Amino acid sequence: MGLAKRIIPCLDVKDGETVKGVNFVDLRSAGDPVELGKAYSEAGADELVFLDITASFEGRKTFTDMVTKVAQQLSIPFTVGGGINELTDVERMLYAGADKVSINSAAIRRPELIEEVTTRFGSQVCVVAIDARLDEDGWHCYLKGGRERTERGLFEWAHEVQERGAGEILFTSMNHDGVKAGYANEALAQLADNLQIPIIASGGAGCKEHFRDVFIKGHADAALAASVFHFGEIPIVELKEYLRDEGINVRL
C-alpha cells in the first residue's frame, strides 16, 4: 500500500492566537495554539504545522517562546514556519523544539537558502511552502502571506525546489483556501506525478470525502487542514477510520 498518508492540522498563528480565514483574509480566532497542539497530538494527528502568518509581512522573527510551549506538548513531528530568512532562524526554531522548518517567501527571494538549510541540517528538516493562485495566465507563486504576486510559476518553482534539495513541498492553493470545496487535485496530481519528494496538500478541506479525493485524485502524500479540525467539524480519529474504510493507508 506504500507509505501511510499523513493527516496534518495547521495552526496559523497571529499575535499569539490561532486564526483561520478564507482566501488568506477575513481571519477569525480559533483558540490557543498550545492547547490545540496538545489536543491534536493526543487525537492521532500524524504531524503538526505551526505558521506565524504575519512574520514575513511584518518583517519580524517567529514567536520563539510560543514554539517552545507548543513543542513541549507534542509527541508528533512539528514543523514551524514564518519569518525564517537565514540559517540562524532555522537554528533557533530547531533549538526551540521544531523538527522541521517551513520556508516560503525567503526561498523565492533567495533560492540558495534551500541548499544552505539542507547542507547544514539535512533535507528532512527543509519544507518549502508554496502559496500559489490560479490566475488567468496560469498558476503563480505569491509572497508575504499571499499579498504579493511573483512571476514564478508553480510547477517550475516546485521543480527547482526539489533540485535544490528540499525534503518536502507544502502547496497551498489560495483559490481553495478556507472555501471548503475540496483541494486543488489537478494541480496536486501534476506536482506529485512529476516530482520525487512528498507533496503536502493545503487549502480546501471541508468534508471527509475531500481528504479521500486528495489522496486518490491529487496523489498527495499528506493533507493539511485547519478550520475543519479547529472547530470540531471533523474529528481526526473518525477521519482516519473513514479513510481506512476507503482503502487508504493511514496510521490509526
Side-chain angles (χ1 to χ4, degrees):
M1 293 178 73
L3 291 174
K5 302 296 189 180
R6 290 170 285 151
I7 300 298
I8 307 177
C10 181
L11 304 180
D12 292 324
V13 177
K14 181 176 188 284
D15 302 327
E17 69 173 359
T18 310
V19 296
K20 189 65 195 110
V22 176
N23 302 131
F24 282 42
V25 294
D26 299 329
L27 302 176
R28 61 172 171 151
S29 175
D32 177 68
V34 180
E35 290 177 9
L36 281 170
K38 184 173 189 283
Y40 288 138
S41 184
E42 293 171 349
D46 295 298
E47 299 186 18
L48 184 72
V49 170
F50 176 106
L51 299 176
D52 189 334
I53 60 170
T54 53
S56 293
F57 177 61
E58 295 171 2
R60 60 177 167 73
K61 303 301 185 186
T62 305
F63 199 10
T64 312
D65 291 346
M66 182 70 75
V67 171
T68 301
K69 288 174 185 171
V70 174
Q72 288 169 346
Q73 302 295 329
L74 301 181
S75 58
I76 54 176
F78 183 32
T79 301
V80 177
I84 294 174
N85 299 303
E86 54 197 16
L87 287 180
T88 53
D89 297 328
V90 178
E91 204 160 49
R92 193 174 69 254
M93 289 301 102
L94 296 177
Y95 186 74
D99 299 290
K100 309 182 218 182
V101 296
S102 169
I103 53 177
N104 188 338
S105 300
I108 288 185
R109 288 196 202 97
R110 198 169 68 81
E112 54 271 22
L113 177 62
I114 300 169
E115 285 144 318
E116 292 170 7
V117 174
T118 57
T119 300
R120 176 81 174 272
F121 303 105
S123 61
Q124 77 284 351
V125 164
C126 185
V127 179
V128 174
I130 302 177
D131 297 332
R133 192 170 76 188
L134 181 56
D135 296 328
E136 288 184 2
D137 56 347
W139 284 97
H140 279 270
C141 301
Y142 279 72
L143 297 180
K144 296 183 180 177
R147 293 172 180 84
E148 183 181 305
R149 175 176 146 140
T150 75
E151 290 312 305
R152 298 303 303 253
L154 166 62
F155 301 106
E156 54 98 0
W157 173 235
H159 185 264
E160 182 176 337
V161 163
Q162 174 179 272
E163 294 305 297
R164 288 183 179 272
E168 292 182 284
I169 287 173
L170 167 55
F171 163 53
T172 300
S173 166
M174 293 172 60
N175 308 73
H176 296 72
D177 175 68
V179 179
K180 299 186 180 181
Y183 291 89
N185 291 323
E186 196 173 310
L188 282 160
Q190 191 171 333
L191 287 170
D193 294 349
N194 288 288
L195 299 173
Q196 283 74 55
I197 60 176
I199 306 296
I200 304 168
S202 170
C207 62
K208 294 173 188 173
E209 289 77 14
H210 293 155
F211 289 90
R212 176 198 64 198
D213 291 347
V214 80
F215 294 131
I216 294 174
K217 297 178 182 176
H219 306 169
D221 298 278
L224 180 144
S227 58
V228 292
F229 297 144
H230 298 341
F231 302 116
E233 294 163 37
I234 304 178
I236 290 173
V237 173
E238 279 183 27
L239 172 62
K240 287 190 164 188
E241 288 172 347
Y242 164 80
L243 291 172
R244 184 191 57 186
D245 291 344
E246 291 290 319
I248 293 163
N249 183 16
V250 291
R251 293 185 196 90
L252 289 173

